[in-house]
PDB file of all heavy atoms in Angstrom:
ATOM      1  N   THR A 286       0.819  -1.180   0.021  1.00 78.00           N
ATOM      2  CA  THR A 286       0.009   0.006  -0.037  1.00 78.00           C
ATOM      3  C   THR A 286       0.875   1.252  -0.013  1.00 78.00           C
ATOM      4  O   THR A 286       2.043   1.216   0.456  1.00 78.00           O
ATOM      5  CB  THR A 286      -0.933   0.017   1.240  1.00 78.00           C
ATOM      6  OG1 THR A 286      -0.148   0.149   2.426  1.00 78.00           O
ATOM      7  CG2 THR A 286      -1.790  -1.203   1.258  1.00 78.00           C
ATOM      8  N   SER A 287       0.318   2.330  -0.491  1.00 82.00           N
ATOM      9  CA  SER A 287       1.063   3.613  -0.493  1.00 82.00           C
ATOM     10  C   SER A 287       1.402   4.028   0.952  1.00 82.00           C
ATOM     11  O   SER A 287       2.495   4.668   1.115  1.00 82.00           O
ATOM     12  CB  SER A 287       0.229   4.670  -1.177  1.00 82.00           C
ATOM     13  OG  SER A 287      -1.013   4.865  -0.540  1.00 82.00           O
ATOM     14  N   LEU A 288       0.600   3.692   1.899  1.00 79.00           N
ATOM     15  CA  LEU A 288       0.864   4.051   3.287  1.00 79.00           C
ATOM     16  C   LEU A 288       2.200   3.434   3.764  1.00 79.00           C
ATOM     17  O   LEU A 288       3.055   4.081   4.257  1.00 79.00           O
ATOM     18  CB  LEU A 288      -0.261   3.642   4.199  1.00 79.00           C
ATOM     19  CG  LEU A 288      -0.026   3.692   5.726  1.00 79.00           C
ATOM     20  CD1 LEU A 288       0.213   5.127   6.144  1.00 79.00           C
ATOM     21  CD2 LEU A 288      -1.223   3.095   6.479  1.00 79.00           C
ATOM     22  N   VAL A 289       2.254   2.086   3.686  1.00 82.00           N
ATOM     23  CA  VAL A 289       3.453   1.401   4.222  1.00 82.00           C
ATOM     24  C   VAL A 289       4.698   1.722   3.399  1.00 82.00           C
ATOM     25  O   VAL A 289       5.809   1.839   3.943  1.00 82.00           O
ATOM     26  CB  VAL A 289       3.181  -0.099   4.255  1.00 82.00           C
ATOM     27  CG1 VAL A 289       4.451  -0.839   4.687  1.00 82.00           C
ATOM     28  CG2 VAL A 289       2.084  -0.448   5.240  1.00 82.00           C
ATOM     29  N   LYS A 290       4.511   1.908   2.143  1.00 84.00           N
ATOM     30  CA  LYS A 290       5.675   2.342   1.327  1.00 84.00           C
ATOM     31  C   LYS A 290       6.207   3.674   1.746  1.00 84.00           C
ATOM     32  O   LYS A 290       7.434   3.877   1.820  1.00 84.00           O
ATOM     33  CB  LYS A 290       5.222   2.368  -0.177  1.00 84.00           C
ATOM     34  CG  LYS A 290       5.099   1.026  -0.851  1.00 84.00           C
ATOM     35  CD  LYS A 290       4.787   1.223  -2.298  1.00 84.00           C
ATOM     36  CE  LYS A 290       4.663  -0.087  -3.024  1.00 84.00           C
ATOM     37  NZ  LYS A 290       4.404   0.091  -4.491  1.00 84.00           N
ATOM     38  N   MET A 291       5.277   4.626   2.028  1.00 86.00           N
ATOM     39  CA  MET A 291       5.785   5.942   2.462  1.00 86.00           C
ATOM     40  C   MET A 291       6.437   5.885   3.850  1.00 86.00           C
ATOM     41  O   MET A 291       7.425   6.560   4.123  1.00 86.00           O
ATOM     42  CB  MET A 291       4.616   6.914   2.458  1.00 86.00           C
ATOM     43  CG  MET A 291       5.005   8.344   2.715  1.00 86.00           C
ATOM     44  SD  MET A 291       6.181   9.028   1.457  1.00 86.00           S
ATOM     45  CE  MET A 291       5.088   9.234   0.104  1.00 86.00           C
ATOM     46  N   VAL A 292       5.862   5.030   4.789  1.00 86.00           N
ATOM     47  CA  VAL A 292       6.411   4.873   6.066  1.00 86.00           C
ATOM     48  C   VAL A 292       7.835   4.285   5.911  1.00 86.00           C
ATOM     49  O   VAL A 292       8.759   4.677   6.647  1.00 86.00           O
ATOM     50  CB  VAL A 292       5.544   3.953   6.991  1.00 86.00           C
ATOM     51  CG1 VAL A 292       6.286   3.651   8.254  1.00 86.00           C
ATOM     52  CG2 VAL A 292       4.229   4.692   7.269  1.00 86.00           C
ATOM     53  N   ALA A 293       7.971   3.309   4.985  1.00 84.00           N
ATOM     54  CA  ALA A 293       9.259   2.724   4.764  1.00 84.00           C
ATOM     55  C   ALA A 293      10.298   3.774   4.295  1.00 84.00           C
ATOM     56  O   ALA A 293      11.446   3.732   4.709  1.00 84.00           O
ATOM     57  CB  ALA A 293       9.172   1.584   3.736  1.00 84.00           C
ATOM     58  N   LYS A 294       9.872   4.694   3.475  1.00 86.00           N
ATOM     59  CA  LYS A 294      10.742   5.728   2.990  1.00 86.00           C
ATOM     60  C   LYS A 294      11.135   6.652   4.175  1.00 86.00           C
ATOM     61  O   LYS A 294      12.289   7.093   4.252  1.00 86.00           O
ATOM     62  CB  LYS A 294      10.063   6.507   1.890  1.00 86.00           C
ATOM     63  CG  LYS A 294       9.921   5.734   0.592  1.00 86.00           C
ATOM     64  CD  LYS A 294       9.245   6.611  -0.446  1.00 86.00           C
ATOM     65  CE  LYS A 294       9.185   5.857  -1.746  1.00 86.00           C
ATOM     66  NZ  LYS A 294       8.514   6.599  -2.840  1.00 86.00           N
ATOM     67  N   PHE A 295      10.194   6.878   5.086  1.00 88.00           N
ATOM     68  CA  PHE A 295      10.471   7.650   6.255  1.00 88.00           C
ATOM     69  C   PHE A 295      11.518   6.946   7.099  1.00 88.00           C
ATOM     70  O   PHE A 295      12.472   7.501   7.571  1.00 88.00           O
ATOM     71  CB  PHE A 295       9.206   7.882   7.065  1.00 88.00           C
ATOM     72  CG  PHE A 295       9.445   8.680   8.350  1.00 88.00           C
ATOM     73  CD1 PHE A 295       9.466  10.053   8.365  1.00 88.00           C
ATOM     74  CD2 PHE A 295       9.700   7.996   9.551  1.00 88.00           C
ATOM     75  CE1 PHE A 295       9.700  10.768   9.530  1.00 88.00           C
ATOM     76  CE2 PHE A 295       9.916   8.679  10.713  1.00 88.00           C
ATOM     77  CZ  PHE A 295       9.920  10.094  10.674  1.00 88.00           C
ATOM     78  N   MET A 296      11.331   5.578   7.348  1.00 85.00           N
ATOM     79  CA  MET A 296      12.249   4.790   8.163  1.00 85.00           C
ATOM     80  C   MET A 296      13.623   4.749   7.533  1.00 85.00           C
ATOM     81  O   MET A 296      14.625   4.656   8.270  1.00 85.00           O
ATOM     82  CB  MET A 296      11.709   3.409   8.350  1.00 85.00           C
ATOM     83  CG  MET A 296      10.427   3.317   9.106  1.00 85.00           C
ATOM     84  SD  MET A 296      10.591   3.870  10.802  1.00 85.00           S
ATOM     85  CE  MET A 296       8.951   3.321  11.450  1.00 85.00           C
ATOM     86  N   ALA A 297      13.713   4.914   6.201  1.00 83.00           N
ATOM     87  CA  ALA A 297      15.013   4.877   5.534  1.00 83.00           C
ATOM     88  C   ALA A 297      15.875   6.141   5.968  1.00 83.00           C
ATOM     89  O   ALA A 297      17.035   6.135   5.783  1.00 83.00           O
ATOM     90  CB  ALA A 297      14.856   4.912   3.984  1.00 83.00           C
ATOM     91  N   GLN A 298      15.170   7.092   6.571  1.00 86.00           N
ATOM     92  CA  GLN A 298      15.860   8.297   7.040  1.00 86.00           C
ATOM     93  C   GLN A 298      16.221   8.163   8.509  1.00 86.00           C
ATOM     94  O   GLN A 298      16.745   9.128   9.109  1.00 86.00           O
ATOM     95  CB  GLN A 298      14.976   9.502   6.850  1.00 86.00           C
ATOM     96  CG  GLN A 298      14.458   9.737   5.406  1.00 86.00           C
ATOM     97  CD  GLN A 298      13.435  10.818   5.343  1.00 86.00           C
ATOM     98  OE1 GLN A 298      12.962  11.344   6.316  1.00 86.00           O
ATOM     99  NE2 GLN A 298      13.074  11.177   4.124  1.00 86.00           N
ATOM    100  N   ALA A 299      15.968   7.017   9.059  1.00 86.00           N
ATOM    101  CA  ALA A 299      16.097   6.871  10.584  1.00 86.00           C
ATOM    102  C   ALA A 299      17.513   7.222  11.058  1.00 86.00           C
ATOM    103  O   ALA A 299      17.693   7.854  12.050  1.00 86.00           O
ATOM    104  CB  ALA A 299      15.769   5.461  10.984  1.00 86.00           C
ATOM    105  N   ARG A 300      18.536   6.780  10.362  1.00 86.00           N
ATOM    106  CA  ARG A 300      19.895   7.075  10.807  1.00 86.00           C
ATOM    107  C   ARG A 300      20.210   8.591  10.744  1.00 86.00           C
ATOM    108  O   ARG A 300      20.723   9.154  11.708  1.00 86.00           O
ATOM    109  CB  ARG A 300      20.916   6.311   9.927  1.00 86.00           C
ATOM    110  CG  ARG A 300      22.361   6.559  10.350  1.00 86.00           C
ATOM    111  CD  ARG A 300      23.352   5.709   9.496  1.00 86.00           C
ATOM    112  NE  ARG A 300      23.197   6.048   8.125  1.00 86.00           N
ATOM    113  CZ  ARG A 300      23.831   7.059   7.526  1.00 86.00           C
ATOM    114  NH1 ARG A 300      24.550   7.897   8.206  1.00 86.00           N
ATOM    115  NH2 ARG A 300      23.693   7.263   6.235  1.00 86.00           N
ATOM    116  N   ARG A 301      19.812   9.233   9.656  1.00 89.00           N
ATOM    117  CA  ARG A 301      20.041  10.626   9.468  1.00 89.00           C
ATOM    118  C   ARG A 301      19.185  11.429  10.477  1.00 89.00           C
ATOM    119  O   ARG A 301      19.563  12.538  10.961  1.00 89.00           O
ATOM    120  CB  ARG A 301      19.823  11.099   8.102  1.00 89.00           C
ATOM    121  CG  ARG A 301      20.813  10.527   7.061  1.00 89.00           C
ATOM    122  CD  ARG A 301      20.563  11.044   5.715  1.00 89.00           C
ATOM    123  NE  ARG A 301      21.605  10.564   4.773  1.00 89.00           N
ATOM    124  CZ  ARG A 301      21.657  10.908   3.491  1.00 89.00           C
ATOM    125  NH1 ARG A 301      20.759  11.717   2.976  1.00 89.00           N
ATOM    126  NH2 ARG A 301      22.574  10.440   2.716  1.00 89.00           N
ATOM    127  N   ARG A 302      18.016  10.876  10.769  1.00 91.00           N
ATOM    128  CA  ARG A 302      17.148  11.572  11.706  1.00 91.00           C
ATOM    129  C   ARG A 302      17.489  11.302  13.202  1.00 91.00           C
ATOM    130  O   ARG A 302      16.897  11.822  14.113  1.00 91.00           O
ATOM    131  CB  ARG A 302      15.704  11.173  11.523  1.00 91.00           C
ATOM    132  CG  ARG A 302      15.093  11.672  10.268  1.00 91.00           C
ATOM    133  CD  ARG A 302      13.637  11.150  10.116  1.00 91.00           C
ATOM    134  NE  ARG A 302      13.024  11.734   8.919  1.00 91.00           N
ATOM    135  CZ  ARG A 302      12.307  12.875   8.936  1.00 91.00           C
ATOM    136  NH1 ARG A 302      12.195  13.594  10.072  1.00 91.00           N
ATOM    137  NH2 ARG A 302      11.762  13.381   7.837  1.00 91.00           N
ATOM    138  N   MET A 303      18.500  10.384  13.434  1.00 92.00           N
ATOM    139  CA  MET A 303      18.931  10.000  14.728  1.00 92.00           C
ATOM    140  C   MET A 303      17.783   9.431  15.543  1.00 92.00           C
ATOM    141  O   MET A 303      17.551   9.811  16.712  1.00 92.00           O
ATOM    142  CB  MET A 303      19.571  11.205  15.491  1.00 92.00           C
ATOM    143  CG  MET A 303      20.853  11.686  14.808  1.00 92.00           C
ATOM    144  SD  MET A 303      21.569  13.176  15.633  1.00 92.00           S
ATOM    145  CE  MET A 303      20.272  14.392  15.259  1.00 92.00           C
ATOM    146  N   LEU A 304      17.026   8.501  14.899  1.00 93.00           N
ATOM    147  CA  LEU A 304      15.880   7.918  15.502  1.00 93.00           C
ATOM    148  C   LEU A 304      16.239   6.546  16.144  1.00 93.00           C
ATOM    149  O   LEU A 304      17.007   5.776  15.545  1.00 93.00           O
ATOM    150  CB  LEU A 304      14.737   7.695  14.520  1.00 93.00           C
ATOM    151  CG  LEU A 304      13.989   8.960  14.061  1.00 93.00           C
ATOM    152  CD1 LEU A 304      12.935   8.543  12.966  1.00 93.00           C
ATOM    153  CD2 LEU A 304      13.236   9.566  15.219  1.00 93.00           C
ATOM    154  N   HIS A 305      15.577   6.232  17.295  1.00 94.00           N
ATOM    155  CA  HIS A 305      15.582   4.916  17.840  1.00 94.00           C
ATOM    156  C   HIS A 305      14.216   4.406  17.590  1.00 94.00           C
ATOM    157  O   HIS A 305      13.242   4.800  18.221  1.00 94.00           O
ATOM    158  CB  HIS A 305      15.859   4.966  19.344  1.00 94.00           C
ATOM    159  CG  HIS A 305      17.163   5.612  19.699  1.00 94.00           C
ATOM    160  ND1 HIS A 305      18.359   5.014  19.493  1.00 94.00           N
ATOM    161  CD2 HIS A 305      17.406   6.829  20.290  1.00 94.00           C
ATOM    162  CE1 HIS A 305      19.310   5.872  19.951  1.00 94.00           C
ATOM    163  NE2 HIS A 305      18.774   6.905  20.323  1.00 94.00           N
ATOM    164  N   VAL A 306      14.096   3.455  16.631  1.00 93.00           N
ATOM    165  CA  VAL A 306      12.817   2.944  16.203  1.00 93.00           C
ATOM    166  C   VAL A 306      12.535   1.552  16.857  1.00 93.00           C
ATOM    167  O   VAL A 306      13.394   0.672  16.856  1.00 93.00           O
ATOM    168  CB  VAL A 306      12.749   2.818  14.655  1.00 93.00           C
ATOM    169  CG1 VAL A 306      11.347   2.281  14.196  1.00 93.00           C
ATOM    170  CG2 VAL A 306      13.053   4.097  14.016  1.00 93.00           C
ATOM    171  N   ILE A 307      11.311   1.373  17.383  1.00 95.00           N
ATOM    172  CA  ILE A 307      10.877   0.092  17.949  1.00 95.00           C
ATOM    173  C   ILE A 307       9.609  -0.302  17.170  1.00 95.00           C
ATOM    174  O   ILE A 307       8.654   0.414  17.189  1.00 95.00           O
ATOM    175  CB  ILE A 307      10.595   0.164  19.428  1.00 95.00           C
ATOM    176  CG1 ILE A 307      11.773   0.708  20.183  1.00 95.00           C
ATOM    177  CG2 ILE A 307      10.219  -1.168  19.960  1.00 95.00           C
ATOM    178  CD1 ILE A 307      11.468   0.945  21.649  1.00 95.00           C
ATOM    179  N   ILE A 308       9.649  -1.500  16.555  1.00 93.00           N
ATOM    180  CA  ILE A 308       8.472  -2.048  15.894  1.00 93.00           C
ATOM    181  C   ILE A 308       8.008  -3.287  16.649  1.00 93.00           C
ATOM    182  O   ILE A 308       8.841  -4.233  16.858  1.00 93.00           O
ATOM    183  CB  ILE A 308       8.752  -2.405  14.413  1.00 93.00           C
ATOM    184  CG1 ILE A 308       9.193  -1.138  13.680  1.00 93.00           C
ATOM    185  CG2 ILE A 308       7.528  -3.056  13.779  1.00 93.00           C
ATOM    186  CD1 ILE A 308       9.587  -1.423  12.211  1.00 93.00           C
ATOM    187  N   ILE A 309       6.818  -3.301  17.138  1.00 92.00           N
ATOM    188  CA  ILE A 309       6.308  -4.398  17.975  1.00 92.00           C
ATOM    189  C   ILE A 309       5.276  -5.250  17.222  1.00 92.00           C
ATOM    190  O   ILE A 309       4.383  -4.745  16.605  1.00 92.00           O
ATOM    191  CB  ILE A 309       5.670  -3.843  19.279  1.00 92.00           C
ATOM    192  CG1 ILE A 309       6.620  -2.924  19.971  1.00 92.00           C
ATOM    193  CG2 ILE A 309       5.192  -4.977  20.162  1.00 92.00           C
ATOM    194  CD1 ILE A 309       5.997  -2.114  21.089  1.00 92.00           C
ATOM    195  N   ALA A 310       5.433  -6.537  17.284  1.00 91.00           N
ATOM    196  CA  ALA A 310       4.474  -7.473  16.590  1.00 91.00           C
ATOM    197  C   ALA A 310       4.492  -8.849  17.225  1.00 91.00           C
ATOM    198  O   ALA A 310       5.514  -9.172  17.900  1.00 91.00           O
ATOM    199  CB  ALA A 310       4.812  -7.609  15.110  1.00 91.00           C
ATOM    200  N   GLN A 311       3.441  -9.581  17.102  1.00 90.00           N
ATOM    201  CA  GLN A 311       3.473 -10.942  17.728  1.00 90.00           C
ATOM    202  C   GLN A 311       4.467 -11.826  17.066  1.00 90.00           C
ATOM    203  O   GLN A 311       5.075 -12.656  17.742  1.00 90.00           O
ATOM    204  CB  GLN A 311       2.058 -11.509  17.643  1.00 90.00           C
ATOM    205  CG  GLN A 311       1.031 -10.806  18.480  1.00 90.00           C
ATOM    206  CD  GLN A 311      -0.334 -11.495  18.480  1.00 90.00           C
ATOM    207  OE1 GLN A 311      -0.518 -12.661  18.398  1.00 90.00           O
ATOM    208  NE2 GLN A 311      -1.387 -10.657  18.407  1.00 90.00           N
ATOM    209  N   GLU A 312       4.597 -11.706  15.782  1.00 89.00           N
ATOM    210  CA  GLU A 312       5.554 -12.445  15.026  1.00 89.00           C
ATOM    211  C   GLU A 312       6.324 -11.539  14.122  1.00 89.00           C
ATOM    212  O   GLU A 312       5.769 -10.686  13.442  1.00 89.00           O
ATOM    213  CB  GLU A 312       4.855 -13.552  14.172  1.00 89.00           C
ATOM    214  CG  GLU A 312       4.192 -14.696  14.992  1.00 89.00           C
ATOM    215  CD  GLU A 312       5.160 -15.602  15.628  1.00 89.00           C
ATOM    216  OE1 GLU A 312       6.357 -15.592  15.234  1.00 89.00           O
ATOM    217  OE2 GLU A 312       4.793 -16.356  16.525  1.00 89.00           O
ATOM    218  N   ALA A 313       7.625 -11.752  14.010  1.00 85.00           N
ATOM    219  CA  ALA A 313       8.435 -10.866  13.183  1.00 85.00           C
ATOM    220  C   ALA A 313       7.995 -11.039  11.745  1.00 85.00           C
ATOM    221  O   ALA A 313       8.084 -10.114  10.949  1.00 85.00           O
ATOM    222  CB  ALA A 313       9.929 -11.234  13.313  1.00 85.00           C
ATOM    223  N   SER A 314       7.483 -12.275  11.366  1.00 86.00           N
ATOM    224  CA  SER A 314       7.040 -12.498  10.008  1.00 86.00           C
ATOM    225  C   SER A 314       5.794 -11.634   9.635  1.00 86.00           C
ATOM    226  O   SER A 314       5.480 -11.546   8.458  1.00 86.00           O
ATOM    227  CB  SER A 314       6.694 -13.978   9.812  1.00 86.00           C
ATOM    228  OG  SER A 314       5.679 -14.387  10.724  1.00 86.00           O
ATOM    229  N   MET A 315       5.120 -11.045  10.614  1.00 86.00           N
ATOM    230  CA  MET A 315       3.952 -10.187  10.339  1.00 86.00           C
ATOM    231  C   MET A 315       4.371  -8.820   9.864  1.00 86.00           C
ATOM    232  O   MET A 315       3.532  -8.044   9.435  1.00 86.00           O
ATOM    233  CB  MET A 315       3.113 -10.110  11.563  1.00 86.00           C
ATOM    234  CG  MET A 315       2.522 -11.386  12.077  1.00 86.00           C
ATOM    235  SD  MET A 315       1.833 -11.292  13.764  1.00 86.00           S
ATOM    236  CE  MET A 315       0.429 -10.189  13.413  1.00 86.00           C
ATOM    237  N   ILE A 316       5.678  -8.501  10.014  1.00 88.00           N
ATOM    238  CA  ILE A 316       6.191  -7.153   9.678  1.00 88.00           C
ATOM    239  C   ILE A 316       6.661  -7.154   8.234  1.00 88.00           C
ATOM    240  O   ILE A 316       7.241  -8.118   7.718  1.00 88.00           O
ATOM    241  CB  ILE A 316       7.314  -6.748  10.572  1.00 88.00           C
ATOM    242  CG1 ILE A 316       6.876  -6.779  12.065  1.00 88.00           C
ATOM    243  CG2 ILE A 316       7.947  -5.419  10.212  1.00 88.00           C
ATOM    244  CD1 ILE A 316       7.968  -6.569  13.084  1.00 88.00           C
ATOM    245  N   ALA A 317       6.379  -6.049   7.496  1.00 84.00           N
ATOM    246  CA  ALA A 317       6.793  -5.939   6.106  1.00 84.00           C
ATOM    247  C   ALA A 317       8.287  -6.216   5.971  1.00 84.00           C
ATOM    248  O   ALA A 317       9.113  -5.837   6.751  1.00 84.00           O
ATOM    249  CB  ALA A 317       6.497  -4.550   5.596  1.00 84.00           C
ATOM    250  N   THR A 318       8.625  -6.987   4.901  1.00 84.00           N
ATOM    251  CA  THR A 318       9.966  -7.483   4.684  1.00 84.00           C
ATOM    252  C   THR A 318      10.980  -6.358   4.680  1.00 84.00           C
ATOM    253  O   THR A 318      12.140  -6.536   5.159  1.00 84.00           O
ATOM    254  CB  THR A 318      10.022  -8.243   3.358  1.00 84.00           C
ATOM    255  OG1 THR A 318       9.085  -9.270   3.371  1.00 84.00           O
ATOM    256  CG2 THR A 318      11.413  -8.878   3.145  1.00 84.00           C
TER     257      THR A 318
END
């Protein structure tokens, strides 16, 4: 979806943004590759 694709693009900036990102899910396989 356009939503998750755009979030992924945002996360691609995590290092430059100096972000500590935590993604929580019951199974890691439930998270986008």
Side-chain angles (χ1 to χ4, degrees):
T286 64
S287 57
L288 168 65
V289 175
K290 284 184 176 181
M291 188 60 73
V292 171
K294 289 180 179 179
F295 177 87
M296 295 297 190
Q298 304 170 353
R300 181 177 60 83
R301 292 184 177 181
R302 288 179 176 272
M303 297 178 289
L304 285 177
H305 302 288
V306 181
I307 305 174
I308 298 176
I309 305 168
Q311 292 183 39
E312 294 287 344
S314 59
M315 297 169 65
I316 300 173
T318 304

